[in-house]
Amino acid sequence: MTYETIKVEEGAPGVTVIAFNRPDVANALSTQMGRELLDVWSKLRGDDSLRAVILRGEGKHFQAGADLKERNGMSDEAWAEQHRLFEAMIRAQLACPVPVIAAVQGAAMGGGCEMTLACDFTYAAEGARFGLPEAGLGIIPGLGGTQLLTRAVGPRRAIEILTTAQPFTADQALAWGLVSGVVPPEALLDTVLGVARVIASKAPLSVRGAKRVVHGGQDLDLARAMDLELTVYNHLFTTHDRREGVGAFNEKRTPAFEGR
């Protein structure tokens, strides 16, 4: 598929970089962008060579949320149809089996903020702004934002953010645990690529297994969550990569993982 509203590039071996590419409208989420993101996330899910994904925006901003000019005057039926597409898109992002890292510069508002919440972790540039302004538009976040935000910052902070609908800074996001680091804008992509390269150097089955266990265990009681962990652990210690990792450690060399 030829993409009109996103760019998909290799940032490093095993690392795919997806960039929103509508910089003239702050990368606002249009129907076409939703289709293209659904397509790329669906394809990446079946890519065994994939090690990590970076999500970023072209130009000054990460993403300003849904394209309200496109939505202006939409019938309820058209709005609902578009949102079903966006729901499928965000679920495809959440289903990505490898770590997804957001690199946020400028504004990450509305759906753009929700897409950072759907990433596994985020780095932000100094001066970046986040927000979920939906209460001022007569709606609430509908791409998992209420639930992902609550899991990240707890219900008290989440209700404050959602009901005041006020933007917050990268430094606030860092203090609340929504981002992993705040760096100068010119260092943002290199920082995130560096983290992605570290992930790509680890045993791929272990990386995928860790993500699966963390996400799968969130809604289980402790005993069942530990059972899930042990299911993945008991598989991994029988793999070639476990033998390679232990052998490389003892031989004082860099392991050559194969994902098997």
Side-chain angles (χ1 to χ4, degrees), residues 29 34 37-38 41 85-93 115:
L29 177 61
L37 287 168
L38 174 58
W41 287 122
L85 168 65
F86 291 168
E87 291 165 28
M89 170 204 73
I90 205 71
R91 289 178 188 274
Q93 178 182 334
M115 279 194 234

Side-chain angles (χ1 to χ4, degrees), residues 68-130:
L68 295 183
K69 289 185 178 179
E70 182 182 50
R71 280 184 162 180
N72 190 34
M74 264 190 185
S75 67
D76 290 351
E77 293 77 10
W79 187 298
E81 181 179 358
Q82 184 197 57
H83 202 267
R84 283 191 291 270
L85 168 65
F86 291 168
E87 291 165 28
M89 170 204 73
I90 205 71
R91 289 178 188 274
Q93 178 182 334
L94 287 165
C96 185
V98 302
V100 181
I101 313 165
V104 176
Q105 79 283 6
M109 298 292 172
C113 186
E114 290 183 275
M115 279 194 234
T116 71
L117 292 168
C119 291
D120 293 293
F121 54 95
T122 297
Y123 281 81
E126 295 167 353
R129 305 186 316 281
F130 299 80

